[in-house]
Amino acid sequence: MDILQALPLERDDPFEPPAVLGELHGPLHRMIYADGRPGWLVTGHAEARVVLDDPRFSNTSQGAAPPIKELAPPEGLTDLVIPPGFFIAMDDPGHSRYRRLLTGHFSMRRMRLLEPRIQEIIDGLLDEIARTGAPADLVSAFALPVPSLVICELLGVPYQERSRFQATTARAVNLDSPVEERGAAGAELMGYLSELVARKRAAPGQDLISQLATGGELSHEELTGVATLLLTAGHETTANMLALGTFLLLCRPEQAELVRTDPGVAATAVEELMRYLSITHIGPIRVARADVPLAGRTIKAGETVTLSLPAVNRDPARFPDPGRFDVTREAGPQLGFGHGIHQCLGQQLARLEMRLAYPALLRRFPGLRLAVPAAEVPLRQRATIYGVAALPVTW
């Protein structure tokens, strides 16, 4: 069995997984991590579900080997410190405690109530694009504002203060920046949310942060961590999916036409875009608590396991003809939102935003096309979430 010397990230084609992944055979592979320790890379769909669902794999960062050198702790530290409230990196019972407080706010029923307002936000941004005229950068004019406005209203973050979190978040996820700079950006973002939490405690409103602040179950530090996590995840991931997904649709005009003209296609298109693009290209990452058999091998206690979602979501054992992009493909269990108890809390919100945004954009501008050659669209190869840095378009 070949041993991978690093987690492959660089894509030769913006819409295809790294070429190295296509050369692998089997669902589980030995990989040398950035600190020299051996671990595992999972590329099989069934095996990925096992890892995400099995409590013998820890979701904390304690003891995890970094799959790329940029994720290694600063010199002198053995582990990155997880702030209070960052339940995304916790195991039970801590994880479930936070999840219980939040789940109802992101339920399907709650999302249906939000749909008219989300559509209003989308339409307003499209009006502004039309007013400003071509060319436009769809990242700054549409893909980033849509989820940012929605999550700001949901959490109670003043959107006029977006300069205090959008640029900071971008610095925090930029792998080309030293780990110290990324850490400083994260601390700056938490500082802003700490100020906001204090304001909400003093003068609560009807928003989610206010409700949590007055609920009495979370300390100031915990609520700051929860708010930081929700704000970051609530705009960064969806923004990249909206931009990269639009880029792909503009390069596949026959698929874009289906999304534009057939109302029944939107939901399957979102799942297919999530599967095909897999913007989460580093992890999820787990650490084995005990020896666990998987795919005919034994993962030893203490070993790190990284899932490659670009490969998992193209597994031919689960998805027929996985390299074909088809917005009418029957929705399968793509793992872009995770699986098991740690699956994305805001997945229904993200789905709703995309289901509304893609068709609305394509209907409003039926002549939408790239304003530069596809090869000139700048990619976010070196970011924790894959996407495009800008998407110049005209119509």
Side-chain angles (χ1 to χ4, degrees):
M1 179 179 63
D2 292 336
I3 299 178
L4 287 167
Q5 296 303 311
L7 176 67
L9 292 184
E10 301 294 330
R11 306 191 187 200
D12 298 327
D13 182 310
F15 310 125
E16 294 295 324
V20 173
L21 296 175
E23 300 169 0
L24 299 175
H25 300 284
L28 183 64
H29 315 274
R30 265 299 193 186
M31 185 172 78
I32 303 300
Y33 280 70
D35 60 3
R37 282 185 284 171
W40 300 90
L41 180 70
V42 175
T43 57
H45 187 276
E47 291 72 19
R49 285 171 62 94
V50 169
V51 172
L52 293 173
D53 213 21
D54 193 326
R56 290 177 295 178
F57 291 102
S58 173
N59 191 45
T60 73
S61 66
Q62 300 302 310
I68 57 175
K69 66 181 187 304
E70 291 87 351
L71 294 184
E75 189 172 349
L77 296 178
T78 56
D79 280 306
L80 293 173
V81 177
I82 303 300
F86 266 63
F87 61 92
I88 194 174
M90 295 180 181
D91 294 324
D92 278 344
H95 167 265
S96 290
R97 172 177 171 250
Y98 293 106
R99 189 101 179 188
R100 174 178 53 81
L101 294 173
L102 297 166
T103 298
H105 297 280
F106 293 92
S107 66
M108 286 291 293
R109 177 181 175 276
R110 175 66 172 145
M111 294 307 102
R112 283 194 291 269
L113 294 175
L114 289 177
E115 183 169 345
R117 176 55 184 148
I118 295 174
Q119 187 68 64
E120 183 180 14
I121 288 172
I122 290 169
D123 292 341
L125 289 167
L126 294 176
D127 287 344
E128 181 61 20
I129 293 173
R131 186 191 67 79
T132 304
D137 172 20
L138 273 189
V139 172
S140 61
F142 188 70
L144 183 57
V146 167
S148 295
L149 275 162
V150 172
I151 197 65
C152 280
E153 290 194 5
L154 184 61
L155 296 181
V157 177
Y159 186 65
Q160 62 268 27
E161 297 178 7
R162 61 190 178 278
S163 62
R164 297 192 64 182
F165 68 83
Q166 287 181 343
T168 307
T169 301
R171 294 200 306 273
V173 302
N174 183 5
L175 295 175
D176 284 330
S177 299
V179 64
E180 293 82 6
E181 290 184 16
R182 284 181 275 129
E188 181 182 338
L189 180 61
M190 290 197 69
Y192 165 65
L193 269 301
S194 178
E195 294 174 15
L196 183 64
V197 167
R199 283 150 51 188
K200 297 293 183 182
R201 288 192 186 278
Q206 300 301 311
D207 53 83
L208 177 52
I209 293 179
S210 293
Q211 292 177 48
L212 294 173
T214 57
E217 294 196 51
L218 298 178
S219 69
H220 180 87
E221 292 74 20
E222 287 178 312
L223 182 48
T224 296
V226 168
T228 303
L229 177 59
L230 293 179
L231 179 61
T232 303
H235 79 275
E236 177 70 16
T237 50
T238 306
N240 281 286
M241 266 307 304
L242 284 174
L244 186 63
T246 301
F247 182 21
L248 174 59
L249 288 169
L250 294 182
C251 292
R252 305 285 196 279
E254 74 289 349
Q255 299 291 305
E257 183 66 8
L258 289 171
V259 175
R260 186 178 72 84
T261 59
D262 187 344
V265 165
T268 56
V270 168
E271 299 304 311
E272 178 71 346
L273 285 162
M274 289 286 298
R275 181 196 74 82
Y276 195 80
L277 295 174
S278 296
I279 61 171
T280 300
H281 63 159
I282 305 173
I285 301 168
R286 299 289 188 265
V287 178
R289 302 172 184 265
D291 291 0
V292 182
L294 185 68
R297 310 293 297 248
T298 298
I299 297 175
K300 298 291 187 181
E303 289 187 318
T304 302
V305 180
T306 296
L307 276 59
S308 173
L309 293 189
V312 166
N313 281 334
R314 297 284 189 99
D315 184 356
R318 183 59 188 84
F319 301 99
D321 194 8
R324 177 174 56 87
F325 175 61
D326 179 5
V327 295
T328 66
R329 183 190 293 265
E330 184 177 348
Q334 56 83 17
L335 297 184
F337 291 117
H339 174 69
I341 65 170
H342 292 286
Q343 63 184 299
C344 176
L345 177 70
Q347 62 180 296
Q348 301 307 335
L349 175 59
R351 282 187 169 103
L352 177 58
E353 290 170 338
M354 289 187 282
R355 179 172 61 80
L356 296 176
Y358 287 126
L361 172 66
L362 295 171
R363 285 196 299 266
R364 184 63 179 273
F365 302 104
L368 192 70
R369 61 189 186 278
L370 293 175
V372 299
E376 294 181 13
V377 173
L379 304 176
R380 290 165 44 105
Q381 300 263 31
R382 306 299 300 171
T384 55
I385 300 295
Y386 180 67
V388 296
L391 188 63
V393 296
T394 189
W395 53 91

